[in-house]
Amino acid sequence: MANSCLQLGGFLVSCLGWMGVVIATSTNEWVNMCKYGLNTCKRMDELEAKGPWAECVISTGLYHCVSLTQILDLPAYIQTTRALMITGSILGFVAVVMLLMSMPCISLGNEAQGSKNRRAVLGGVLVLIVGLCSLVSTVWFPIGAHQQEGLMSFGFSLYAGWIGTVFSLLGGSLLTCCSSDSLPRSFQDNNRFYYSKQGGGNAPATSATNHAKSAHV
């Protein structure tokens, strides 16, 4: 019962983490930058938001974005962020489907519990990979943006990515630990049941042999 609750909690936390990664991947307000100096930008009320896919100008009554389509001319941190976040989003979808099919309340025919536990462990590992992809992206992107241009503050997309990273690592750890702990326990229970049946079957034969020896004497 405790493992089932931990597995369900890990699944819900992993789903929240994956959603945070998807939100960070699909939005562009990762960092807010200022090209003219902080005081000048505050006076002009004009900031520039930058993400993996576009650069946007934010001011009063104006929100204009320019897509970053020159793939070969983009800096390495943007290309790496794109690759890692897309990979994390796809792997997160696969992990959520696998974890959903491994829940104790869902039965796929006469599937053994050991198969569901192994699927839950694999899903937890995928969630951990999602968290690592998001961690590298959300740390490297603001560092690269700060080195290239003046970094003023972090955007909500970066915060969503950080929250998704924490939830993904936490959920993946819960799923991997609680599911892997249940594997040897079920294996030991099956072996214990097997030996008990085997011992129960040999007991009458032993008693019958002793009875035959005593009758012969």
Side-chain angles (χ1 to χ4, degrees):
M1 182 64 182
N3 284 333
S4 299
C5 294
L6 287 175
Q7 191 173 0
L8 180 59
F11 171 72
L12 295 177
V13 173
S14 299
C15 287
L16 292 176
W18 174 60
M19 291 175 60
V21 173
V22 172
I23 292 174
T25 306
S26 58
T27 53
N28 290 306
E29 292 189 23
W30 282 52
V31 293
N32 296 323
M33 297 179 300
C34 180
K35 294 182 179 180
Y36 311 107
L38 181 59
N39 294 328
T40 304
C41 288
K42 285 184 176 181
R43 192 182 308 111
M44 297 175 59
D45 191 18
E46 181 177 329
L47 294 176
E48 180 180 350
K50 188 172 185 178
W53 311 103
E55 293 183 352
C56 302
V57 176
I58 305 174
S59 62
T60 304
L62 176 64
Y63 190 91
H64 177 69
C65 294
V66 178
S67 300
L68 302 175
T69 57
Q70 297 82 10
I71 299 178
L72 298 179
D73 296 335
L74 293 176
Y77 73 93
I78 295 181
Q79 297 183 7
T80 305
T81 298
R82 287 182 175 184
L84 290 177
M85 295 302 287
I86 292 176
T87 301
S89 299
I90 296 174
L91 291 179
F93 176 76
V94 176
V96 168
V97 173
M98 293 181 64
L99 293 173
L100 185 62
M101 292 189 297
S102 64
M103 288 293 102
C105 56
I106 296 179
S107 178
L108 300 176
N110 296 324
E111 186 180 17
Q113 185 62 33
S115 300
K116 298 179 71 173
N117 290 335
R118 285 190 292 270
R119 190 186 302 119
V121 171
L122 180 57
V125 172
L126 291 179
V127 174
L128 288 176
I129 295 176
V130 172
L132 292 177
C133 290
S134 179
L135 177 63
V136 174
S137 300
T138 53
V139 170
W140 193 3
F141 190 92
I143 294 176
H146 179 67
Q147 292 177 350
Q148 184 181 12
E149 301 179 42
L151 176 63
M152 179 178 175
S153 62
F154 303 134
F156 81 93
S157 302
L158 200 61
Y159 288 114
W162 283 335
I163 294 174
T165 298
V166 174
F167 282 177
S168 296
L169 295 177
L170 178 61
S173 301
L174 285 175
L175 290 166
T176 305
C177 294
C178 72
S179 301
S180 60
D181 288 344
S182 62
L183 285 174
R185 186 178 299 111
S186 62
F187 181 73
Q188 292 173 1
D189 292 341
N190 291 335
N191 288 341
R192 191 180 301 114
F193 178 69
Y194 172 74
Y195 289 126
S196 64
K197 287 177 62 179
Q198 191 177 34
N202 291 333
T206 304
S207 61
T209 303
N210 294 334
H211 179 70
K213 288 181 178 179
S214 60
H216 179 71
V217 173

